[in-house]
mmCIF file of all heavy atoms in Angstrom:
data_model
loop_
_atom_site.group_PDB
_atom_site.id
_atom_site.type_symbol
_atom_site.label_atom_id
_atom_site.label_comp_id
_atom_site.label_asym_id
_atom_site.label_seq_id
_atom_site.Cartn_x
_atom_site.Cartn_y
_atom_site.Cartn_z
ATOM 1 N N VAL Y 167 28.015 36.442 113.595
ATOM 2 C CA VAL Y 167 27.073 35.349 113.860
ATOM 3 C C VAL Y 167 27.571 34.050 113.254
ATOM 4 O O VAL Y 167 28.258 34.082 112.230
ATOM 5 C CB VAL Y 167 25.667 35.681 113.301
ATOM 6 C CG1 VAL Y 167 25.009 36.738 114.150
ATOM 7 C CG2 VAL Y 167 25.710 36.068 111.834
ATOM 8 N N PRO Y 168 27.253 32.895 113.817
ATOM 9 C CA PRO Y 168 26.550 32.736 115.092
ATOM 10 C C PRO Y 168 27.482 33.008 116.270
ATOM 11 O O PRO Y 168 28.450 32.275 116.463
ATOM 12 C CB PRO Y 168 26.106 31.274 115.063
ATOM 13 C CG PRO Y 168 27.081 30.592 114.153
ATOM 14 C CD PRO Y 168 27.585 31.614 113.174
ATOM 15 N N PRO Y 170 27.374 32.536 119.526
ATOM 16 C CA PRO Y 170 27.708 31.541 120.550
ATOM 17 C C PRO Y 170 28.748 30.540 120.044
ATOM 18 O O PRO Y 170 29.625 30.115 120.796
ATOM 19 C CB PRO Y 170 26.372 30.846 120.833
ATOM 20 C CG PRO Y 170 25.315 31.773 120.365
ATOM 21 C CD PRO Y 170 25.915 32.519 119.216
ATOM 22 N N LEU Y 194 21.579 40.449 121.769
ATOM 23 C CA LEU Y 194 20.531 39.576 121.227
ATOM 24 C C LEU Y 194 20.744 38.118 121.623
ATOM 25 O O LEU Y 194 19.800 37.418 121.960
ATOM 26 C CB LEU Y 194 20.487 39.701 119.694
ATOM 27 C CG LEU Y 194 19.384 38.898 119.011
ATOM 28 C CD1 LEU Y 194 18.003 39.395 119.421
ATOM 29 C CD2 LEU Y 194 19.511 38.978 117.490
ATOM 30 N N TYR Y 195 21.992 37.679 121.561
ATOM 31 C CA TYR Y 195 22.285 36.288 121.923
ATOM 32 C C TYR Y 195 23.002 36.223 123.276
ATOM 33 O O TYR Y 195 23.736 35.268 123.552
ATOM 34 C CB TYR Y 195 23.159 35.652 120.839
ATOM 35 C CG TYR Y 195 22.493 35.592 119.481
ATOM 36 C CD1 TYR Y 195 22.900 36.413 118.444
ATOM 37 C CD2 TYR Y 195 21.438 34.716 119.260
ATOM 38 C CE1 TYR Y 195 22.280 36.359 117.204
ATOM 39 C CE2 TYR Y 195 20.812 34.663 118.022
ATOM 40 C CZ TYR Y 195 21.240 35.489 116.995
ATOM 41 O OH TYR Y 195 20.615 35.431 115.765
ATOM 42 N N TYR Y 197 22.466 35.623 126.521
ATOM 43 C CA TYR Y 197 22.438 34.448 127.396
ATOM 44 C C TYR Y 197 23.291 33.327 126.815
ATOM 45 O O TYR Y 197 24.074 32.690 127.533
ATOM 46 C CB TYR Y 197 20.987 33.974 127.581
ATOM 47 C CG TYR Y 197 20.887 32.582 128.161
ATOM 48 C CD1 TYR Y 197 21.180 32.335 129.499
ATOM 49 C CD2 TYR Y 197 20.531 31.499 127.355
ATOM 50 C CE1 TYR Y 197 21.112 31.050 130.032
ATOM 51 C CE2 TYR Y 197 20.451 30.217 127.877
ATOM 52 C CZ TYR Y 197 20.749 30.000 129.205
ATOM 53 O OH TYR Y 197 20.685 28.724 129.718
ATOM 54 N N PHE Y 198 23.145 33.113 125.539
ATOM 55 C CA PHE Y 198 23.846 31.997 124.893
ATOM 56 C C PHE Y 198 25.357 32.246 124.842
ATOM 57 O O PHE Y 198 26.150 31.332 125.012
ATOM 58 C CB PHE Y 198 23.275 31.762 123.497
ATOM 59 C CG PHE Y 198 21.800 31.472 123.506
ATOM 60 C CD1 PHE Y 198 20.871 32.434 123.143
ATOM 61 C CD2 PHE Y 198 21.324 30.230 123.920
ATOM 62 C CE1 PHE Y 198 19.504 32.171 123.168
ATOM 63 C CE2 PHE Y 198 19.953 29.955 123.946
ATOM 64 C CZ PHE Y 198 19.042 30.939 123.576
ATOM 65 N N VAL Y 202 28.545 29.992 126.934
ATOM 66 C CA VAL Y 202 29.749 29.333 126.414
ATOM 67 C C VAL Y 202 31.027 30.059 126.809
ATOM 68 O O VAL Y 202 32.096 29.793 126.265
ATOM 69 C CB VAL Y 202 29.726 29.183 124.873
ATOM 70 C CG1 VAL Y 202 28.669 28.187 124.453
ATOM 71 C CG2 VAL Y 202 29.539 30.521 124.199
ATOM 72 N N HIS Y 229 22.962 30.096 135.733
ATOM 73 C CA HIS Y 229 22.424 30.265 134.395
ATOM 74 C C HIS Y 229 20.907 30.333 134.382
ATOM 75 O O HIS Y 229 20.315 30.915 133.481
ATOM 76 C CB HIS Y 229 22.960 29.161 133.482
ATOM 77 C CG HIS Y 229 24.443 29.255 133.308
ATOM 78 N ND1 HIS Y 229 25.058 30.355 132.762
ATOM 79 C CD2 HIS Y 229 25.446 28.422 133.682
ATOM 80 C CE1 HIS Y 229 26.368 30.197 132.772
ATOM 81 N NE2 HIS Y 229 26.638 29.025 133.329
ATOM 82 N N ALA Y 230 20.301 29.760 135.380
ATOM 83 C CA ALA Y 230 18.838 29.863 135.471
ATOM 84 C C ALA Y 230 18.456 31.332 135.644
ATOM 85 O O ALA Y 230 17.533 31.838 134.991
ATOM 86 C CB ALA Y 230 18.321 29.029 136.647
ATOM 87 N N PHE Y 233 19.192 33.293 132.500
ATOM 88 C CA PHE Y 233 18.148 33.066 131.508
ATOM 89 C C PHE Y 233 16.872 33.835 131.854
ATOM 90 O O PHE Y 233 16.228 34.415 130.989
ATOM 91 C CB PHE Y 233 17.829 31.574 131.380
ATOM 92 C CG PHE Y 233 16.787 31.298 130.335
ATOM 93 C CD1 PHE Y 233 17.127 31.276 128.990
ATOM 94 C CD2 PHE Y 233 15.447 31.109 130.674
ATOM 95 C CE1 PHE Y 233 16.170 31.060 128.012
ATOM 96 C CE2 PHE Y 233 14.488 30.889 129.701
ATOM 97 C CZ PHE Y 233 14.845 30.856 128.368
ATOM 98 N N TYR Y 236 17.374 37.437 131.012
ATOM 99 C CA TYR Y 236 17.480 37.569 129.553
ATOM 100 C C TYR Y 236 16.101 37.444 128.917
ATOM 101 O O TYR Y 236 15.700 38.259 128.084
ATOM 102 C CB TYR Y 236 18.432 36.492 129.045
ATOM 103 C CG TYR Y 236 18.497 36.294 127.547
ATOM 104 C CD1 TYR Y 236 19.136 37.215 126.721
ATOM 105 C CD2 TYR Y 236 17.954 35.152 126.958
ATOM 106 C CE1 TYR Y 236 19.231 37.004 125.353
ATOM 107 C CE2 TYR Y 236 18.045 34.935 125.591
ATOM 108 C CZ TYR Y 236 18.680 35.867 124.794
ATOM 109 O OH TYR Y 236 18.772 35.660 123.440
ATOM 110 N N LEU Y 240 13.994 40.232 126.808
ATOM 111 C CA LEU Y 240 14.221 39.938 125.398
ATOM 112 C C LEU Y 240 13.297 40.725 124.451
ATOM 113 O O LEU Y 240 13.754 41.191 123.394
ATOM 114 C CB LEU Y 240 14.130 38.423 125.162
ATOM 115 C CG LEU Y 240 14.792 37.870 123.897
ATOM 116 C CD1 LEU Y 240 16.164 38.451 123.636
ATOM 117 C CD2 LEU Y 240 14.857 36.350 123.967
ATOM 118 N N PRO Y 241 12.030 40.911 124.789
ATOM 119 C CA PRO Y 241 11.205 41.727 123.875
ATOM 120 C C PRO Y 241 11.786 43.127 123.660
ATOM 121 O O PRO Y 241 11.733 43.664 122.545
ATOM 122 C CB PRO Y 241 9.851 41.793 124.596
ATOM 123 C CG PRO Y 241 9.805 40.535 125.416
ATOM 124 C CD PRO Y 241 11.226 40.328 125.892
ATOM 125 N N VAL Y 244 15.003 42.735 121.544
ATOM 126 C CA VAL Y 244 14.637 42.495 120.143
ATOM 127 C C VAL Y 244 14.107 43.769 119.490
ATOM 128 O O VAL Y 244 14.455 44.088 118.350
ATOM 129 C CB VAL Y 244 13.593 41.354 120.061
ATOM 130 C CG1 VAL Y 244 12.878 41.357 118.715
ATOM 131 C CG2 VAL Y 244 14.269 40.011 120.312
ATOM 132 N N PHE Y 245 13.309 44.508 120.209
ATOM 133 C CA PHE Y 245 12.750 45.726 119.612
ATOM 134 C C PHE Y 245 13.859 46.714 119.253
ATOM 135 O O PHE Y 245 13.790 47.404 118.241
ATOM 136 C CB PHE Y 245 11.727 46.374 120.560
ATOM 137 C CG PHE Y 245 10.833 47.357 119.869
ATOM 138 C CD1 PHE Y 245 9.849 46.927 118.992
ATOM 139 C CD2 PHE Y 245 10.992 48.723 120.056
ATOM 140 C CE1 PHE Y 245 9.034 47.844 118.314
ATOM 141 C CE2 PHE Y 245 10.192 49.643 119.389
ATOM 142 C CZ PHE Y 245 9.210 49.204 118.523
ATOM 143 N N GLN Y 247 16.697 45.867 118.228
ATOM 144 C CA GLN Y 247 17.469 45.326 117.097
ATOM 145 C C GLN Y 247 17.109 45.953 115.768
ATOM 146 O O GLN Y 247 17.813 45.778 114.782
ATOM 147 C CB GLN Y 247 17.224 43.806 116.962
ATOM 148 C CG GLN Y 247 17.934 42.954 117.958
ATOM 149 C CD GLN Y 247 19.430 42.912 117.740
ATOM 150 O OE1 GLN Y 247 19.892 42.772 116.623
ATOM 151 N NE2 GLN Y 247 20.179 43.085 118.796
ATOM 152 N N GLN Y 248 15.985 46.629 115.700
ATOM 153 C CA GLN Y 248 15.607 47.232 114.426
ATOM 154 C C GLN Y 248 16.712 48.170 113.948
ATOM 155 O O GLN Y 248 17.415 48.760 114.747
ATOM 156 C CB GLN Y 248 14.270 47.962 114.587
ATOM 157 C CG GLN Y 248 13.133 46.984 114.854
ATOM 158 C CD GLN Y 248 11.812 47.687 115.126
ATOM 159 O OE1 GLN Y 248 11.062 47.950 114.212
ATOM 160 N NE2 GLN Y 248 11.556 48.000 116.383
ATOM 161 N N PRO Y 249 16.868 48.311 112.626
ATOM 162 C CA PRO Y 249 18.039 49.032 112.132
ATOM 163 C C PRO Y 249 18.112 50.469 112.626
ATOM 164 O O PRO Y 249 17.105 51.129 112.787
ATOM 165 C CB PRO Y 249 17.884 48.977 110.604
ATOM 166 C CG PRO Y 249 16.495 48.541 110.338
ATOM 167 C CD PRO Y 249 16.028 47.801 111.541
ATOM 168 N N GLN Y 283 4.806 51.684 119.836
ATOM 169 C CA GLN Y 283 5.089 50.294 120.183
ATOM 170 C C GLN Y 283 6.121 50.207 121.308
ATOM 171 O O GLN Y 283 6.063 49.319 122.154
ATOM 172 C CB GLN Y 283 5.596 49.542 118.965
ATOM 173 C CG GLN Y 283 4.526 49.344 117.905
ATOM 174 C CD GLN Y 283 4.864 48.228 116.946
ATOM 175 O OE1 GLN Y 283 6.017 48.008 116.611
ATOM 176 N NE2 GLN Y 283 3.842 47.499 116.515
ATOM 177 N N ASP Y 286 4.411 50.697 124.469
ATOM 178 C CA ASP Y 286 3.651 49.473 124.741
ATOM 179 C C ASP Y 286 4.549 48.399 125.340
ATOM 180 O O ASP Y 286 4.208 47.789 126.368
ATOM 181 C CB ASP Y 286 3.016 48.988 123.430
ATOM 182 C CG ASP Y 286 2.348 47.619 123.564
ATOM 183 O OD1 ASP Y 286 3.055 46.583 123.403
ATOM 184 O OD2 ASP Y 286 1.140 47.563 123.839
ATOM 185 N N ARG Y 290 4.648 46.643 129.085
ATOM 186 C CA ARG Y 290 4.401 45.214 129.293
ATOM 187 C C ARG Y 290 5.558 44.557 130.050
ATOM 188 O O ARG Y 290 5.352 43.668 130.871
ATOM 189 C CB ARG Y 290 4.211 44.508 127.955
ATOM 190 C CG ARG Y 290 2.933 44.935 127.254
ATOM 191 C CD ARG Y 290 2.522 43.973 126.150
ATOM 192 N NE ARG Y 290 1.411 44.521 125.383
ATOM 193 C CZ ARG Y 290 0.140 44.447 125.748
ATOM 194 N NH1 ARG Y 290 -0.195 43.839 126.874
ATOM 195 N NH2 ARG Y 290 -0.811 44.965 124.990
ATOM 196 N N VAL G 167 13.241 44.993 107.105
ATOM 197 C CA VAL G 167 13.264 45.685 108.401
ATOM 198 C C VAL G 167 13.233 47.192 108.209
ATOM 199 O O VAL G 167 13.750 47.675 107.209
ATOM 200 C CB VAL G 167 14.520 45.288 109.215
ATOM 201 C CG1 VAL G 167 14.370 43.882 109.733
ATOM 202 C CG2 VAL G 167 15.800 45.488 108.420
ATOM 203 N N PRO G 168 12.675 47.954 109.143
ATOM 204 C CA PRO G 168 11.939 47.491 110.312
ATOM 205 C C PRO G 168 10.538 47.017 109.918
ATOM 206 O O PRO G 168 9.726 47.812 109.448
ATOM 207 C CB PRO G 168 11.861 48.727 111.203
ATOM 208 C CG PRO G 168 11.972 49.884 110.252
ATOM 209 C CD PRO G 168 12.767 49.412 109.075
ATOM 210 N N PRO G 170 7.774 46.208 111.526
ATOM 211 C CA PRO G 170 6.529 46.811 112.033
ATOM 212 C C PRO G 170 6.207 48.124 111.322
ATOM 213 O O PRO G 170 5.045 48.427 111.051
ATOM 214 C CB PRO G 170 6.828 47.055 113.525
ATOM 215 C CG PRO G 170 7.979 46.161 113.868
ATOM 216 C CD PRO G 170 8.780 46.037 112.604
ATOM 217 N N LEU G 194 10.550 36.977 114.380
ATOM 218 C CA LEU G 194 11.348 37.740 115.351
ATOM 219 C C LEU G 194 10.599 38.960 115.869
ATOM 220 O O LEU G 194 10.648 39.266 117.053
ATOM 221 C CB LEU G 194 12.668 38.188 114.692
ATOM 222 C CG LEU G 194 13.631 38.932 115.617
ATOM 223 C CD1 LEU G 194 14.117 38.038 116.750
ATOM 224 C CD2 LEU G 194 14.834 39.466 114.844
ATOM 225 N N TYR G 195 9.910 39.660 114.965
ATOM 226 C CA TYR G 195 9.162 40.851 115.376
ATOM 227 C C TYR G 195 7.649 40.561 115.366
ATOM 228 O O TYR G 195 6.835 41.473 115.219
ATOM 229 C CB TYR G 195 9.479 42.016 114.439
ATOM 230 C CG TYR G 195 10.930 42.422 114.458
ATOM 231 C CD1 TYR G 195 11.763 42.159 113.376
ATOM 232 C CD2 TYR G 195 11.480 43.059 115.565
ATOM 233 C CE1 TYR G 195 13.111 42.538 113.399
ATOM 234 C CE2 TYR G 195 12.821 43.429 115.600
ATOM 235 C CZ TYR G 195 13.627 43.163 114.503
ATOM 236 O OH TYR G 195 14.951 43.529 114.537
ATOM 237 N N TYR G 197 5.094 39.809 117.376
ATOM 238 C CA TYR G 197 4.116 40.547 118.183
ATOM 239 C C TYR G 197 3.917 41.949 117.638
ATOM 240 O O TYR G 197 2.784 42.429 117.505
ATOM 241 C CB TYR G 197 4.596 40.602 119.641
ATOM 242 C CG TYR G 197 3.866 41.621 120.473
ATOM 243 C CD1 TYR G 197 2.547 41.404 120.889
ATOM 244 C CD2 TYR G 197 4.474 42.824 120.835
ATOM 245 C CE1 TYR G 197 1.868 42.350 121.642
ATOM 246 C CE2 TYR G 197 3.807 43.774 121.585
ATOM 247 C CZ TYR G 197 2.507 43.538 121.983
ATOM 248 O OH TYR G 197 1.836 44.479 122.714
ATOM 249 N N PHE G 198 5.033 42.603 117.314
ATOM 250 C CA PHE G 198 4.965 43.990 116.874
ATOM 251 C C PHE G 198 4.304 44.112 115.503
ATOM 252 O O PHE G 198 3.547 45.046 115.242
ATOM 253 C CB PHE G 198 6.371 44.595 116.857
ATOM 254 C CG PHE G 198 7.050 44.534 118.193
ATOM 255 C CD1 PHE G 198 8.040 43.587 118.459
ATOM 256 C CD2 PHE G 198 6.682 45.402 119.214
ATOM 257 C CE1 PHE G 198 8.652 43.526 119.697
ATOM 258 C CE2 PHE G 198 7.293 45.340 120.471
ATOM 259 C CZ PHE G 198 8.292 44.389 120.715
ATOM 260 N N VAL G 202 0.445 46.079 114.531
ATOM 261 C CA VAL G 202 0.131 47.122 113.546
ATOM 262 C C VAL G 202 -0.678 46.582 112.382
ATOM 263 O O VAL G 202 -0.827 47.262 111.363
ATOM 264 C CB VAL G 202 1.402 47.812 112.998
ATOM 265 C CG1 VAL G 202 2.086 48.635 114.072
ATOM 266 C CG2 VAL G 202 2.357 46.798 112.390
ATOM 267 N N HIS G 229 -4.041 41.540 122.795
ATOM 268 C CA HIS G 229 -2.611 41.768 122.627
ATOM 269 C C HIS G 229 -1.810 41.380 123.859
ATOM 270 O O HIS G 229 -0.636 41.067 123.766
ATOM 271 C CB HIS G 229 -2.364 43.211 122.210
ATOM 272 C CG HIS G 229 -2.954 43.514 120.877
ATOM 273 N ND1 HIS G 229 -2.569 42.858 119.725
ATOM 274 C CD2 HIS G 229 -3.956 44.351 120.516
ATOM 275 C CE1 HIS G 229 -3.278 43.296 118.699
ATOM 276 N NE2 HIS G 229 -4.136 44.199 119.156
ATOM 277 N N ALA G 230 -2.470 41.409 125.005
ATOM 278 C CA ALA G 230 -1.765 40.966 126.214
ATOM 279 C C ALA G 230 -1.403 39.486 126.072
ATOM 280 O O ALA G 230 -0.282 39.072 126.378
ATOM 281 C CB ALA G 230 -2.654 41.174 127.448
ATOM 282 N N PHE G 233 1.262 39.029 123.434
ATOM 283 C CA PHE G 233 2.577 39.367 123.974
ATOM 284 C C PHE G 233 3.094 38.273 124.913
ATOM 285 O O PHE G 233 4.273 37.913 124.863
ATOM 286 C CB PHE G 233 2.526 40.695 124.736
ATOM 287 C CG PHE G 233 3.873 41.106 125.263
ATOM 288 C CD1 PHE G 233 4.809 41.693 124.431
ATOM 289 C CD2 PHE G 233 4.222 40.873 126.586
ATOM 290 C CE1 PHE G 233 6.066 42.049 124.901
ATOM 291 C CE2 PHE G 233 5.482 41.220 127.067
ATOM 292 C CZ PHE G 233 6.399 41.807 126.221
ATOM 293 N N TYR G 236 4.343 35.428 122.812
ATOM 294 C CA TYR G 236 5.526 35.862 122.069
ATOM 295 C C TYR G 236 6.729 35.913 122.996
ATOM 296 O O TYR G 236 7.809 35.378 122.694
ATOM 297 C CB TYR G 236 5.236 37.231 121.452
ATOM 298 C CG TYR G 236 6.406 37.964 120.850
ATOM 299 C CD1 TYR G 236 6.965 37.575 119.633
ATOM 300 C CD2 TYR G 236 6.929 39.096 121.478
ATOM 301 C CE1 TYR G 236 8.028 38.283 119.076
ATOM 302 C CE2 TYR G 236 7.982 39.808 120.920
ATOM 303 C CZ TYR G 236 8.540 39.395 119.718
ATOM 304 O OH TYR G 236 9.576 40.111 119.159
ATOM 305 N N LEU G 240 10.166 33.707 122.860
ATOM 306 C CA LEU G 240 11.159 34.539 122.195
ATOM 307 C C LEU G 240 12.589 33.976 122.291
ATOM 308 O O LEU G 240 13.339 34.040 121.298
ATOM 309 C CB LEU G 240 11.079 35.976 122.724
ATOM 310 C CG LEU G 240 11.673 37.076 121.858
ATOM 311 C CD1 LEU G 240 11.310 36.954 120.397
ATOM 312 C CD2 LEU G 240 11.259 38.449 122.387
ATOM 313 N N PRO G 241 12.990 33.400 123.411
ATOM 314 C CA PRO G 241 14.350 32.817 123.420
ATOM 315 C C PRO G 241 14.537 31.765 122.329
ATOM 316 O O PRO G 241 15.601 31.673 121.713
ATOM 317 C CB PRO G 241 14.461 32.208 124.819
ATOM 318 C CG PRO G 241 13.543 33.036 125.662
ATOM 319 C CD PRO G 241 12.370 33.359 124.755
ATOM 320 N N VAL G 244 14.598 33.594 118.910
ATOM 321 C CA VAL G 244 15.887 34.241 118.737
ATOM 322 C C VAL G 244 16.977 33.216 118.442
ATOM 323 O O VAL G 244 17.816 33.417 117.561
ATOM 324 C CB VAL G 244 16.243 35.086 119.982
ATOM 325 C CG1 VAL G 244 17.730 35.421 120.020
ATOM 326 C CG2 VAL G 244 15.409 36.360 120.017
ATOM 327 N N PHE G 245 16.936 32.108 119.143
ATOM 328 C CA PHE G 245 17.977 31.098 118.909
ATOM 329 C C PHE G 245 17.921 30.580 117.475
ATOM 330 O O PHE G 245 18.947 30.302 116.854
ATOM 331 C CB PHE G 245 17.845 29.950 119.919
ATOM 332 C CG PHE G 245 19.092 29.116 120.005
ATOM 333 C CD1 PHE G 245 20.232 29.602 120.628
ATOM 334 C CD2 PHE G 245 19.146 27.840 119.450
ATOM 335 C CE1 PHE G 245 21.403 28.841 120.691
ATOM 336 C CE2 PHE G 245 20.299 27.079 119.505
ATOM 337 C CZ PHE G 245 21.439 27.575 120.123
ATOM 338 N N GLN G 247 17.162 32.348 115.002
ATOM 339 C CA GLN G 247 17.590 33.417 114.083
ATOM 340 C C GLN G 247 19.018 33.247 113.596
ATOM 341 O O GLN G 247 19.443 33.915 112.662
ATOM 342 C CB GLN G 247 17.517 34.792 114.781
ATOM 343 C CG GLN G 247 16.143 35.345 114.935
ATOM 344 C CD GLN G 247 15.547 35.790 113.620
ATOM 345 O OE1 GLN G 247 16.221 36.418 112.814
ATOM 346 N NE2 GLN G 247 14.316 35.432 113.369
ATOM 347 N N GLN G 248 19.793 32.422 114.259
ATOM 348 C CA GLN G 248 21.180 32.255 113.830
ATOM 349 C C GLN G 248 21.215 31.815 112.364
ATOM 350 O O GLN G 248 20.315 31.141 111.894
ATOM 351 C CB GLN G 248 21.875 31.251 114.743
ATOM 352 C CG GLN G 248 22.023 31.797 116.167
ATOM 353 C CD GLN G 248 22.616 30.779 117.126
ATOM 354 O OE1 GLN G 248 23.802 30.710 117.278
ATOM 355 N NE2 GLN G 248 21.758 29.979 117.729
ATOM 356 N N PRO G 249 22.260 32.212 111.650
ATOM 357 C CA PRO G 249 22.242 31.991 110.200
ATOM 358 C C PRO G 249 22.093 30.521 109.819
ATOM 359 O O PRO G 249 22.629 29.645 110.480
ATOM 360 C CB PRO G 249 23.579 32.555 109.716
ATOM 361 C CG PRO G 249 24.409 32.769 110.926
ATOM 362 C CD PRO G 249 23.482 32.898 112.086
ATOM 363 N N GLN G 283 23.122 23.910 123.440
ATOM 364 C CA GLN G 283 22.376 25.098 123.856
ATOM 365 C C GLN G 283 20.908 24.989 123.486
ATOM 366 O O GLN G 283 20.035 25.479 124.206
ATOM 367 C CB GLN G 283 22.978 26.338 123.195
ATOM 368 C CG GLN G 283 24.366 26.674 123.718
ATOM 369 C CD GLN G 283 24.748 28.118 123.446
ATOM 370 O OE1 GLN G 283 24.393 28.669 122.410
ATOM 371 N NE2 GLN G 283 25.459 28.718 124.383
ATOM 372 N N ASP G 286 19.239 23.021 126.039
ATOM 373 C CA ASP G 286 19.127 23.865 127.231
ATOM 374 C C ASP G 286 17.941 24.817 127.134
ATOM 375 O O ASP G 286 17.124 24.913 128.050
ATOM 376 C CB ASP G 286 20.444 24.651 127.406
ATOM 377 C CG ASP G 286 20.374 25.700 128.500
ATOM 378 O OD1 ASP G 286 19.910 26.838 128.226
ATOM 379 O OD2 ASP G 286 20.772 25.400 129.637
ATOM 380 N N ARG G 290 14.398 25.053 129.237
ATOM 381 C CA ARG G 290 14.032 26.215 130.041
ATOM 382 C C ARG G 290 12.680 26.785 129.634
ATOM 383 O O ARG G 290 11.900 27.235 130.472
ATOM 384 C CB ARG G 290 15.100 27.300 129.906
ATOM 385 C CG ARG G 290 16.427 26.893 130.533
ATOM 386 C CD ARG G 290 17.350 28.080 130.749
ATOM 387 N NE ARG G 290 18.677 27.630 131.156
ATOM 388 C CZ ARG G 290 19.003 27.285 132.407
ATOM 389 N NH1 ARG G 290 18.103 27.334 133.380
ATOM 390 N NH2 ARG G 290 20.234 26.881 132.695
#
Side-chain angles (χ1 to χ4, degrees):
Chain Y
V167 287
L194 183 64
Y195 298 108
Y197 165 73
F198 302 103
V202 291
H229 296 299
F233 182 79
Y236 170 73
L240 200 44
V244 163
F245 197 72
Q247 284 290 316
Q248 293 176 90
Q283 291 200 325
D286 173 273
R290 292 197 188 278
Chain G
V167 287
L194 183 64
Y195 298 109
Y197 165 73
F198 302 103
V202 292
H229 296 299
F233 182 79
Y236 169 74
L240 200 44
V244 163
F245 197 73
Q247 284 289 317
Q248 293 176 90
Q283 292 200 324
D286 172 275
R290 293 196 189 279

